[in-house]
Amino acid sequence: MSTQASNVDDNTPPGRHNTLMTALVITSIVATGIVVAGLTATPEEPALTVQPVTPTPTEPLPPVEEYVVVYPEVEYPTAIPGCDTVDEPIEPQYSSYASNGEELYDNPVAPWFSGPKAHLMSAALVAALPADTTFSRNTVPYFGPIPMIEGSGEEDPVDSTSAYADISVDGKSGYFSVGVAQTARGVPSCVAGNLDERKSLPDRTVVDTDDTWREVNGARTYERSATAYRTDGSWITVYVSGADQQSELPLSLEEATRIALDPGLATTPAPPAGTPGNVAECTYGAATDSGRLYSASETEVLNTALQRADTGALVPSPPLGALTTGSWAGGLCQLVDSAAGRLSVSFGDTPAPAAGDSDSVPLNPGSFGGGTSVSVTTPSGKGVTVETEQPWDPTDLERIASTPGLDLP
């Protein structure tokens, strides 16, 4: 089989996606880059207090590892079903961006997107998957914030959100992700090597599908994608990959296409008033540590109960009832704004360390460092922790944590 190969260094993503998926890969690179920068930054040198000594020779650093990426050879000229014309293939292009601070759901680059919108889209995505889908690594897919990107111009902003998980369907396992963006670019041209087929539907939605593979340093990964270009400007890409063979990917092309066409993933319907959501990605893992995965149905039980919580004068915004898998641990959490600043609610196997009563031990300031934290053990032995950024009456927090039904067997 003829192939094409390219070399990329260790800061280049070993993958080839369409424009939307490349934007989603960039988001992952941003997160990795922040960690690497923090680990490799040179510390500030202190003032000399003794005479310098001759440094001991050290071993040279190992050379930077290169990735050899191989793709199927692209024939051109060629014909693609559903395409009137086909443009010549293009080499993969990669960009580097830096994220600017905390990633919030309210991003001026994407006014269509919000915490409540992400909550509704995530529920629609889980419902659109085959009924026997299971998730691993304690992660149920949930659409994350669109990052503030430095270097992303007004003419070509990074405005896509993604949800991802490792899934298994009918004994077939693989990586699964969905990217959603709103754009005025219209349907792109057919490009050789980017798609196998294009379909135009009666409602003028266009769907591109592709089955392909890539090899990184000799290890082959099979890939499958379906991208829907809706007339409202929604671009929705469903992507699966696995290392076995094309026939063992967890979703068929038909299933991937059906998910991409799900109306619950379109960008234009605004969420109704009162829809729960998050203001940012919940990262307070210490309070949500859990050794088990909470399924989508279990999470829905907890969210339904949390929507009934008596929040008193805290006035959470968005409303409570959008628990998601925590970023750094298992368990579930939600992060909102409130009259006490940021307010988080988390649910896990065990509660965070209890804060003594106010007459003997100072109240636990919680993950925010200067607020109030209350943990309650549920009748089944699970833990609910409610924390505020600013000091608040712990009675209010305990009442939320003790909401009837906020528990699982």
Side-chain angles (χ1 to χ4, degrees):
M1 178 181 292
S2 59
T3 59
Q4 56 181 359
S6 62
N7 293 332
V8 294
D9 63 27
D10 64 345
N11 290 319
T12 304
R16 177 180 176 181
H17 307 280
N18 57 35
T19 303
L20 175 58
M21 291 308 299
T22 299
L24 304 183
V25 171
I26 288 170
T27 303
S28 299
I29 297 169
V30 168
T32 303
I34 292 172
V35 175
V36 171
L39 294 175
T40 61
T42 303
E44 183 178 342
E45 295 185 4
L48 288 175
T49 57
V50 296
Q51 291 298 319
V53 296
T54 303
T56 303
T58 58
E59 294 293 327
L61 293 174
V64 175
E65 181 181 2
E66 287 192 346
Y67 292 110
V68 178
V69 184
V70 180
Y71 310 102
E73 186 70 25
V74 178
E75 296 182 2
Y76 189 80
T78 188
I80 296 176
C83 298
D84 295 330
T85 60
V86 178
D87 293 349
E88 62 181 320
I90 58 176
E91 289 296 320
Q93 297 180 354
Y94 307 104
S95 301
S96 177
Y97 297 97
S99 179
N100 182 18
E102 184 181 32
E103 295 182 3
L104 305 175
Y105 276 99
D106 288 331
N107 186 330
V109 171
W112 65 271
F113 194 57
S114 65
K117 178 67 173 177
H119 185 65
L120 293 181
M121 289 170 54
S122 301
L125 173 58
V126 172
L129 284 164
D132 59 342
T133 301
T134 58
F135 307 101
S136 62
R137 298 187 184 181
N138 284 6
T139 301
V140 175
Y142 197 93
F143 286 97
I146 294 175
M148 299 289 289
I149 299 295
E150 294 180 356
S152 175
E154 294 182 359
E155 295 181 359
D156 189 24
V158 176
D159 61 352
S160 56
T161 177
S162 61
Y164 53 88
D166 291 313
I167 67 171
S168 180
V169 181
D170 193 25
K172 301 175 181 180
S173 301
Y175 175 78
F176 166 75
S177 71
V178 177
V180 179
Q182 169 69 31
T183 179
R185 298 175 193 170
V187 180
S189 303
C190 292
V191 177
N194 281 11
L195 70 158
D196 293 333
E197 183 179 11
R198 169 167 289 183
K199 293 182 178 180
S200 297
L201 306 183
D203 66 355
R204 295 189 296 146
T205 298
V206 173
V207 180
D208 290 350
T209 53
D210 189 38
D211 265 352
T212 187
W213 55 263
R214 60 182 166 87
E215 287 183 357
V216 181
N217 293 346
R220 178 169 293 195
T221 298
Y222 294 91
E223 303 174 323
R224 173 170 293 155
S225 64
T227 300
Y229 306 102
R230 302 178 70 98
T231 56
D232 64 356
S234 302
W235 284 15
I236 304 164
T237 292
V238 176
Y239 170 87
V240 290
S241 63
D244 294 330
Q245 53 186 332
Q246 208 81 38
S247 61
E248 292 301 307
L249 291 175
L251 296 178
S252 66
L253 275 175
E254 291 75 16
E255 289 170 326
T257 298
R258 179 179 53 77
I259 295 171
L261 291 172
D262 191 285
L265 300 179
T267 60
T268 49
T275 301
N278 286 265
V279 295
E281 199 167 30
C282 201
T283 58
Y284 301 103
T288 62
D289 190 24
S290 179
R292 60 170 282 190
L293 167 69
Y294 295 105
S295 67
S297 59
E298 289 175 321
T299 303
E300 181 60 27
V301 169
L302 297 172
N303 280 331
T304 299
L306 196 53
Q307 290 178 41
R308 299 192 298 263
D310 181 359
T311 57
L314 281 165
V315 194
S317 178
L320 297 182
L323 292 167
T324 68
T325 305
S327 299
W328 303 109
L332 304 166
C333 62
Q334 181 180 5
L335 184 65
V336 299
D337 287 325
S338 74
R342 290 291 170 84
L343 165 69
S344 71
V345 179
S346 56
F347 184 94
D349 283 352
T350 57
D357 65 58
S358 58
D359 293 332
S360 57
V361 182
L363 290 172
N364 181 359
S367 302
F368 297 105
T372 304
S373 177
V374 170
S375 295
V376 170
T377 301
T378 70
S380 71
K382 305 297 188 297
V384 181
T385 298
V386 182
E387 300 181 321
T388 55
E389 182 180 14
Q390 301 167 12
W392 195 263
D393 184 351
T395 303
D396 286 346
L397 307 191
E398 183 176 0
R399 185 175 62 249
I400 295 174
S402 303
T403 297
L406 194 58
D407 194 9
L408 291 172

